[in-house]
């Protein structure tokens, strides 16, 4: 069985500061890892994903995450945040092809001017 | 291309009433999921389906039933609503058969209040 722990429920940060949202997972099989973003009153959108290959994956809006198998982590980072990045971020894991998607508890990122 | 569509978007039920939430996807996805989202608890999987005619229990299945009679539709039923089922419900679909398309696509959610 897989599980996901997001270590911070809320992360307040000032605009243009760097941010890291932490995610740890546990699984007995190979995993696929995802970060989803949810803007207020909306559904979830895929931000980035790790399936295989390079352990560093990037999104189109400047976020990146690194798959660390030894640490069982998939932390999300951005070197300089914008007000528009304010949202809730969810880390998720699936047990490879055919595995169901399990989410963490979410991290609320609040970017202040 | 509508993606994943949930109906209704909002609903208020009285305790003991029943209702069905409908999820429809037009991407020919094999997998479909129902999640509930509650503050501080993330998204918890209620039930899921790996194909037409099949369903399976997730983390929090009690009080819910599902059906997948057609590949494009996944129905979530509440037989006797309870205040503890007040939540935002999300449907999602995915196509795990292709590595690069294994992400899940979500509907906009159904906000359900049970009074």
């Amino acid at each position: 069985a897989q599980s996901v722990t997001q270590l911070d429920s809320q992360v307040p940060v000032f605009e243009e500061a760097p941010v890291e949202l932490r995610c740890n997972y546990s699984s007995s099989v190979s995993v696929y890892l995802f970060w989803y973003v949810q803007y207020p009153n909306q559904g979830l959108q895929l931000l980035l994903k790790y399936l295989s290959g390079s352990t560093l994956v990037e999104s189109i809006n400047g976020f990146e995450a690194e798959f660390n198998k030894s640490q069982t982590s998939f932390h999300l980072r951005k070197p300089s945040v914008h007000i528009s990045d304010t949202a809730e971020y969810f880390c998720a894991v699936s047990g490879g092809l055919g595995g169901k998607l399990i989410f963490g508890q979410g991290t609320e990122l609040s970017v202040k001017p | 291309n509508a993606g994943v569509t949930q109906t209704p978007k909002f609903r208020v039920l009285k305790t003991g009433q029943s209702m069905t939430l409908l999820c429809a996807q037009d991407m020919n996805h094999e997998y479909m999921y129902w999640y509930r989202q509650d503050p501080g608890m993330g998204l918890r999987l209620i039930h899921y389906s790996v194909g037409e005619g099949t369903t399976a229990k997730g983390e929090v299945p009690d009080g819910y039933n599902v059906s997948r009679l057609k590949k494009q539709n996944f129905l979530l039923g509440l037989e006797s609503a309870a205040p503890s089922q007040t939540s935002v419900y999300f449907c999602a679909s995915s196509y795990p058969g292709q590595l690069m398309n294994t992400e899940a696509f979500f509907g906009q959610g159904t906000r359900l209040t049970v009074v």
Side-chain angles (χ1 to χ4, degrees):
Chain A
Q2 291 87 38
S3 67
V4 179
T5 301
Q6 291 183 244
L7 299 165
D8 307 291
S9 59
Q10 294 180 322
V11 174
V13 64
F14 287 105
E15 194 173 19
E16 298 184 3
V19 71
E20 178 179 77
L21 308 183
R22 296 180 293 168
C23 172
N24 286 95
Y25 70 92
S26 66
S27 176
S28 57
V29 299
S30 297
V31 295
Y32 297 155
L33 293 158
F34 306 83
W35 276 99
Y36 283 83
V37 59
Q38 183 182 34
Y39 297 104
N41 299 314
Q42 294 188 25
L44 279 75
Q45 305 170 34
L46 181 70
L47 188 60
L48 47 76
K49 61 186 176 184
Y50 169 78
L51 304 179
S52 64
S54 173
T55 58
L56 184 65
V57 291
E58 299 177 352
S59 72
I60 58 173
N61 57 351
F63 283 94
E64 64 178 30
E66 186 162 17
F67 170 55
N68 187 322
K69 189 174 182 179
S70 62
Q71 301 286 328
T72 61
S73 68
F74 191 55
H75 300 333
L76 181 70
R77 294 186 290 265
K78 189 171 185 180
S80 176
V81 294
H82 300 132
I83 298 287
S84 59
D85 292 323
T86 294
E88 189 152 22
Y89 292 79
F90 292 93
C91 183
V93 61
S94 73
L97 281 174
K100 59 184 183 290
L101 196 59
I102 301 297
F103 285 85
Q105 301 88 336
T107 297
E108 190 176 328
L109 175 65
S110 176
V111 182
K112 304 182 185 305
Chain B
N1 189 342
V4 179
T5 303
Q6 292 182 232
T7 53
K9 290 184 171 49
F10 303 93
R11 185 74 184 268
V12 178
L13 283 181
K14 294 183 178 179
T15 298
Q17 286 186 317
S18 63
M19 79 164 293
T20 300
L21 282 67
L22 172 64
C23 177
Q25 53 96 2
D26 60 3
M27 297 173 282
N28 200 34
H29 283 171
E30 292 292 333
Y31 278 41
M32 296 187 75
Y33 310 81
W34 276 107
Y35 294 90
R36 59 178 290 173
Q37 183 180 24
D38 303 290
M41 305 191 77
L43 278 81
R44 292 181 291 168
L45 185 63
I46 304 172
H47 286 280
Y48 65 104
S49 168
V50 301
E52 181 179 318
T54 70
T55 63
K57 294 180 180 180
E59 304 168 71
V60 289
D62 294 341
Y64 305 95
N65 57 75
V66 288
S67 65
R68 183 99 181 267
L69 298 180
K70 294 183 178 180
K71 186 176 183 178
Q72 63 268 33
N73 295 337
F74 194 31
L75 278 63
L76 177 71
L78 285 72
E79 293 181 345
S80 179
S84 61
Q85 294 178 304
T86 293
S87 186
V88 181
Y89 292 85
F90 285 99
C91 176
S93 71
S94 67
Y95 185 29
Q98 290 184 351
L99 180 66
M100 297 310 295
N101 292 333
T102 194
E103 70 192 76
F105 293 81
F106 282 80
Q108 291 298 299
T110 296
R111 188 173 295 274
L112 175 66
T113 302
V114 183
V115 297

